[in-house]
Amino acid sequence: MRASLRRTAAAAATALALLLTGCAGTDDGGGDTGRIELSFQSLAWQKESVDANKQLVKEWNEAHPDIQVNYIPGSWDTVHDQLLTAFEGDEAPDIIHDASDDLADFAYGGYLADLRTLLPDRLTADIPRQSWSTTTFGDGVYGVPFLQEPRVLIANTRILAASGVRIPTPEHPWSWSEFRQVTRELTGKGRYGVAWPLKEPVSVTLNLGLSAGGKLFHRAADGKVTLRAGEGDRIVPDTIHDQVNTDHSAARTALGMGGSDTLPGFFGGKYAMVPLGFSYRQQVVEQAPEGFEWTVLPAPAGSAGLAQGVSPQTLSVSEASPHKKEAVQFIDFLLRPPNMVRLAKGDWMLPTGTAALADPSLHTAENGWATGVAVAKALRPAPAQSVRGYPEWKDKVATPALQEYYSGAIGGDELRKRLVDDGNRVLARYQR
């Protein structure tokens, strides 16, 4: 998850910590003591998550005096550019926390270690194949996917009850057309049925589009990827566009917001529902006024059911690290089922491991945990997971095009022309 409340100050802390600690490629990590020292750059930012990560590092260090791990804070805001600079300067941390949709260029560029011969059987068997595919590029595996976050509907319980609309469940979710109708019914004086926080619209659109059979990115037998818009690729963007511009059931002002920005309006009854990442439940718990009643509902379903794209959080090892084996040993410790549960709870996300996902503490109805677990089996790799050039396409083509479409500035034909035609020109440069 690219968390919305990120702290850019962490970038400076990262650079300083890397300078003081020393990272892979500078020496053997052990000096003259014979002790191996590993650097672990973590992007944890919420207090519970930071505490869980630091406590696990402490437990490892106490149990492994000859292999010590140094915890380094990083920032989701700057991680891609920071890592690129570190790789090129031969100063990358040994163990790298990132997200799977950020790994492709690093993997193809030779900066990350292929983990296939290093991973223990326990770990490879515990994490499902579809999760491993998010970190597989070519023939190699360049990260361990360990936390994942579906997008859900966080809804005002009292407004739903008063409206009389059907309440969806993971077994019987709303269809996209029913969802559009429901948001019309929930709209009233001073209230919108839904607020779509689409400051970063691309991943939301692509990932939810899988439920409607959308794909957009198509890989040929020779491995080359081209963009092609089918009928399934229209359903999610057209639904959002029509809610904003035709039905007026979605707040136009929310389009430029991040997820956290919508919460005051949600708490104040301005929005009946907000589609948010699963981890936002923590902010709702911490910030909702006393007596506020809310619930977690599954995202709408289409021809592919509840299928939804995700880009799991990952742990990778620098190719330049002189201690790859020991780095993977630490990763294996960090992702033992009880520890993976601790990390998931700290981030209010879902573990990828089947053993951790089966933990009874994650199957409680409280705060919507059970709804998230029920959706987990439908999670799939994000559509552009392994596409080289995706970051440029997202930033330079898709983000402005979708923002203009959702605001009503351009029509559907122009949107698809820009996503596909302009997008294919971008991808072609990376696939020559």
Side-chain angles (χ1 to χ4, degrees), residues 62 136 163 180 217 349:
E62 290 175 348
T136 300
S163 71
R180 182 180 170 188
F217 292 85
M349 295 174 69

mmCIF file with all atom_site columns, all heavy atoms in Angstrom, residues 62 136 163 180 217 349:
data_model
loop_
_atom_site.group_PDB
_atom_site.id
_atom_site.type_symbol
_atom_site.label_atom_id
_atom_site.label_alt_id
_atom_site.label_comp_id
_atom_site.label_asym_id
_atom_site.label_entity_id
_atom_site.label_seq_id
_atom_site.pdbx_PDB_ins_code
_atom_site.Cartn_x
_atom_site.Cartn_y
_atom_site.Cartn_z
_atom_site.occupancy
_atom_site.B_iso_or_equiv
_atom_site.pdbx_formal_charge
_atom_site.auth_seq_id
_atom_site.auth_comp_id
_atom_site.auth_asym_id
_atom_site.auth_atom_id
_atom_site.pdbx_PDB_model_num
ATOM 1  N N   . GLU A 1 62  ? 18.528  -10.549 19.361  1.00 0.00 ? 62  GLU A N   1
ATOM 2  C CA  . GLU A 1 62  ? 18.783  -11.234 20.623  1.00 0.00 ? 62  GLU A CA  1
ATOM 3  C C   . GLU A 1 62  ? 19.062  -12.718 20.413  1.00 0.00 ? 62  GLU A C   1
ATOM 4  O O   . GLU A 1 62  ? 19.858  -13.316 21.139  1.00 0.00 ? 62  GLU A O   1
ATOM 5  C CB  . GLU A 1 62  ? 17.597  -11.048 21.560  1.00 0.00 ? 62  GLU A CB  1
ATOM 6  C CG  . GLU A 1 62  ? 17.456  -9.612  22.085  1.00 0.00 ? 62  GLU A CG  1
ATOM 7  C CD  . GLU A 1 62  ? 16.199  -9.415  22.912  1.00 0.00 ? 62  GLU A CD  1
ATOM 8  O OE1 . GLU A 1 62  ? 15.323  -10.327 22.891  1.00 0.00 ? 62  GLU A OE1 1
ATOM 9  O OE2 . GLU A 1 62  ? 16.075  -8.365  23.562  1.00 0.00 ? 62  GLU A OE2 1
ATOM 10 N N   . THR A 1 136 ? 7.554   -12.152 -9.600  1.00 0.00 ? 136 THR A N   1
ATOM 11 C CA  . THR A 1 136 ? 8.254   -12.956 -10.588 1.00 0.00 ? 136 THR A CA  1
ATOM 12 C C   . THR A 1 136 ? 8.413   -12.149 -11.868 1.00 0.00 ? 136 THR A C   1
ATOM 13 O O   . THR A 1 136 ? 7.429   -11.706 -12.459 1.00 0.00 ? 136 THR A O   1
ATOM 14 C CB  . THR A 1 136 ? 7.495   -14.256 -10.875 1.00 0.00 ? 136 THR A CB  1
ATOM 15 O OG1 . THR A 1 136 ? 7.373   -15.015 -9.665  1.00 0.00 ? 136 THR A OG1 1
ATOM 16 C CG2 . THR A 1 136 ? 8.217   -15.094 -11.918 1.00 0.00 ? 136 THR A CG2 1
ATOM 17 N N   . SER A 1 163 ? -31.887 3.893   4.675   1.00 0.00 ? 163 SER A N   1
ATOM 18 C CA  . SER A 1 163 ? -32.232 3.900   3.247   1.00 0.00 ? 163 SER A CA  1
ATOM 19 C C   . SER A 1 163 ? -33.002 2.658   2.824   1.00 0.00 ? 163 SER A C   1
ATOM 20 O O   . SER A 1 163 ? -33.733 2.685   1.836   1.00 0.00 ? 163 SER A O   1
ATOM 21 C CB  . SER A 1 163 ? -30.964 4.005   2.419   1.00 0.00 ? 163 SER A CB  1
ATOM 22 O OG  . SER A 1 163 ? -30.217 2.785   2.481   1.00 0.00 ? 163 SER A OG  1
ATOM 23 N N   . ARG A 1 180 ? -24.165 1.487   -8.554  1.00 0.00 ? 180 ARG A N   1
ATOM 24 C CA  . ARG A 1 180 ? -24.509 2.819   -9.061  1.00 0.00 ? 180 ARG A CA  1
ATOM 25 C C   . ARG A 1 180 ? -25.915 3.225   -8.613  1.00 0.00 ? 180 ARG A C   1
ATOM 26 O O   . ARG A 1 180 ? -26.143 4.359   -8.194  1.00 0.00 ? 180 ARG A O   1
ATOM 27 C CB  . ARG A 1 180 ? -24.398 2.840   -10.587 1.00 0.00 ? 180 ARG A CB  1
ATOM 28 C CG  . ARG A 1 180 ? -24.683 4.207   -11.183 1.00 0.00 ? 180 ARG A CG  1
ATOM 29 C CD  . ARG A 1 180 ? -24.579 4.207   -12.699 1.00 0.00 ? 180 ARG A CD  1
ATOM 30 N NE  . ARG A 1 180 ? -25.080 5.460   -13.236 1.00 0.00 ? 180 ARG A NE  1
ATOM 31 C CZ  . ARG A 1 180 ? -25.258 5.709   -14.531 1.00 0.00 ? 180 ARG A CZ  1
ATOM 32 N NH1 . ARG A 1 180 ? -24.956 4.768   -15.432 1.00 0.00 ? 180 ARG A NH1 1
ATOM 33 N NH2 . ARG A 1 180 ? -25.736 6.875   -14.938 1.00 0.00 ? 180 ARG A NH2 1
ATOM 34 N N   . PHE A 1 217 ? -3.746  -4.356  -20.145 1.00 0.00 ? 217 PHE A N   1
ATOM 35 C CA  . PHE A 1 217 ? -2.396  -4.764  -20.541 1.00 0.00 ? 217 PHE A CA  1
ATOM 36 C C   . PHE A 1 217 ? -2.432  -6.209  -21.051 1.00 0.00 ? 217 PHE A C   1
ATOM 37 O O   . PHE A 1 217 ? -2.892  -7.114  -20.343 1.00 0.00 ? 217 PHE A O   1
ATOM 38 C CB  . PHE A 1 217 ? -1.433  -4.660  -19.365 1.00 0.00 ? 217 PHE A CB  1
ATOM 39 C CG  . PHE A 1 217 ? -1.160  -3.245  -18.934 1.00 0.00 ? 217 PHE A CG  1
ATOM 40 C CD1 . PHE A 1 217 ? -2.008  -2.596  -18.060 1.00 0.00 ? 217 PHE A CD1 1
ATOM 41 C CD2 . PHE A 1 217 ? -0.050  -2.561  -19.409 1.00 0.00 ? 217 PHE A CD2 1
ATOM 42 C CE1 . PHE A 1 217 ? -1.765  -1.296  -17.661 1.00 0.00 ? 217 PHE A CE1 1
ATOM 43 C CE2 . PHE A 1 217 ? 0.213   -1.261  -19.018 1.00 0.00 ? 217 PHE A CE2 1
ATOM 44 C CZ  . PHE A 1 217 ? -0.658  -0.621  -18.144 1.00 0.00 ? 217 PHE A CZ  1
ATOM 45 N N   . MET A 1 349 ? -3.524  -4.645  7.599   1.00 0.00 ? 349 MET A N   1
ATOM 46 C CA  . MET A 1 349 ? -3.627  -5.240  6.282   1.00 0.00 ? 349 MET A CA  1
ATOM 47 C C   . MET A 1 349 ? -3.799  -6.750  6.419   1.00 0.00 ? 349 MET A C   1
ATOM 48 O O   . MET A 1 349 ? -3.941  -7.264  7.526   1.00 0.00 ? 349 MET A O   1
ATOM 49 C CB  . MET A 1 349 ? -2.393  -4.889  5.448   1.00 0.00 ? 349 MET A CB  1
ATOM 50 C CG  . MET A 1 349 ? -2.276  -3.399  5.165   1.00 0.00 ? 349 MET A CG  1
ATOM 51 S SD  . MET A 1 349 ? -0.755  -2.934  4.321   1.00 0.00 ? 349 MET A SD  1
ATOM 52 C CE  . MET A 1 349 ? -1.040  -3.660  2.728   1.00 0.00 ? 349 MET A CE  1
#
